[in-house]
């Protein structure tokens, strides 16, 4: 099931990224580019110094300043690129190419500006003479083209990195929103199932009390008091997804006591003792529909005695609950009633395929008479499920 609740992401800065994410990834990438270019230029400058004194590569401090000047330019370019995105392609591709070209074209002017700012000696010896009309000078143009060609793939690599992170972030945010919707849907579905149980239980109990009013008014009054206690427990259980197994069995006991008041000569109940009840948690009201079915279908079709027996068994990390009831000979109660369908849906929502409900007529070898068996198997939950983990309970490790 779904894990811990996560707050849906807030407004994004660009392309699904927050401002911190965008500036962080852009800055880290540009630091890497700066160090790589400085080390490359330094090694080439050192090697060329053995053959010529002409400064073919700028000094490290000028190159560092160049990249510092280009950092806001590349950040703005990437921000604009993420805003433009890639759809429709006929419009987006030309705009993306224009952004890449503008940034790459500014790389060499940034180098000239850094050299002018630092006033390096090799700037006066080799570059100052090109300032008057640089575009007519083949050397300046060739250096500009070389810088353009060098920074264009660098820009592309950085854009791919930022775009990839943005796509991953958007995908993750979409999954978080989907998870939040699934949790809300599961909570709403469980609430609807519990609301379906309450009227069904109340209707059956009121019908039982109505049968007592005519011939035992005092007994009916006593049953009304018991019903009020039962309804309080029903409302409390209906507000929770899980309750202790002992509380669930106590609720069932109150219901069966009411039914025994009406069918004292026919209905007998066998329940586990307190020592037989493990300290585990179960979905609230999970036994109630099965017990109602056991009483209603057990009494139908014959006038003989009916026994409703509830048993519990723990095996390692698996909890098994049985509700058995006597039925009329040659009668097989249906498996698709409201109660059974309700229980199956709740188990599917809260445990997926780790829990199951089976309902069947007992084999002749299992019992001496006709008997119907409802069996629930589910993971054992020993710890109290927190409110934020209601739909993802902590299971016992093997």
């Amino acid at each position: 099931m779904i894990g811990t609740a996560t707050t849906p992401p807030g407004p994004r800065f660009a392309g699904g990224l927050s401002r911190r994410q965008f500036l962080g990834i852009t800055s880290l990438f540009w630091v890497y580019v700066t160090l790589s270019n400085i080390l490359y230029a330094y090694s080439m400058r050192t090697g060329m110094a053995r053959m010529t004194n002409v400064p073919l590569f700028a000094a490290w401090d000028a190159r560092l300043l160049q990249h510092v000047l280009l950092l806001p330019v590349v950040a703005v370019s990437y921000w604009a690129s993420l805003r433009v995105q890639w759809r429709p392609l006929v419009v987006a591709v030309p705009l993306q190419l224009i952004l890449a070209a503008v940034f790459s074209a500014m790389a060499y002017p940034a180098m000239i500006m850094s050299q002018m700012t630092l006033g390096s000696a090799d700037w006066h010896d080799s570059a100052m003479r090109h300032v008057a009309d640089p575009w007519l000078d083949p050397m300046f143009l060739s250096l500009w083209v070389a810088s353009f060609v060098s920074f264009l793939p660098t820009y592309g690599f950085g854009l791919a990195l930022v775009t990839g992170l943005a796509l991953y972030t958007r995908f993750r945010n979409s999954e978080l929103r989907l998870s939040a919707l699934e949790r809300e849907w599961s909570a709403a579905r469980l609430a609807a199932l519990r609301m379906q149980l309450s009227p069904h239980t109340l209707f059956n109990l009121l019908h039982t009390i109505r049968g007592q009013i005519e011939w035992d008014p005092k007994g009916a009054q006593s049953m009304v008091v018991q019903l009020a206690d039962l309804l309080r427990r029903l409302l409390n259980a209906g507000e929770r997804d899980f309750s202790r197994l002992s509380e669930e069995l106590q609720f069932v006991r109150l219901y069966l006591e009411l039914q025994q008041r009406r069918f004292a000569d026919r209905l007998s109940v066998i329940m586990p003792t307190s020592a037989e009840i493990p300290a585990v948690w179960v979905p609230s009201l999970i036994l109630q529909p099965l017990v109602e079915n056991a009483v209603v279908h057990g009494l139908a079709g014959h006038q003989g005695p009916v026994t409703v027996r509830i048993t519990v068994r723990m095996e390692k990390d698996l909890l098994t609950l049985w509700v058995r009831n006597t039925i009329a000979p040659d009668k097989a109660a249906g498996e698709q009633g409201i109660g059974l369908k309700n229980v199956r849906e709740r188990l599917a929502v809260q445990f997926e395929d780790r829990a199951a409900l089976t309902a069947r007529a007992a084999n002749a070898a299992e019992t001496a008479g006709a008997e119907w068996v409802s069996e629930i198997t589910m993971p054992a939950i020993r710890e109290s499920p927190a409110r934020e983990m209601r739909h993802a309970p902590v299971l016992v490790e093997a």
Side-chain angles (χ1 to χ4, degrees), residues 55-84:
L56 299 178
F57 290 87
W60 69 270
D61 53 350
R63 194 166 294 274
L64 175 62
L65 182 57
Q66 175 199 24
H67 286 76
V68 170
L69 295 175
L70 287 176
L71 177 57
V73 180
V74 73
V76 171
S77 299
Y78 287 162
W79 175 84
S81 178
L82 292 178
R83 300 289 291 184
V84 170

Side-chain angles (χ1 to χ4, degrees), residues 270-292:
I270 302 175
M271 297 193 65
T273 64
S274 57
E276 297 173 329
I277 302 175
V280 294
W281 293 73
V282 296
S284 58
L285 303 177
I286 201 67
L287 284 175
Q288 182 62 27
L290 305 184
V291 173
E292 288 189 34

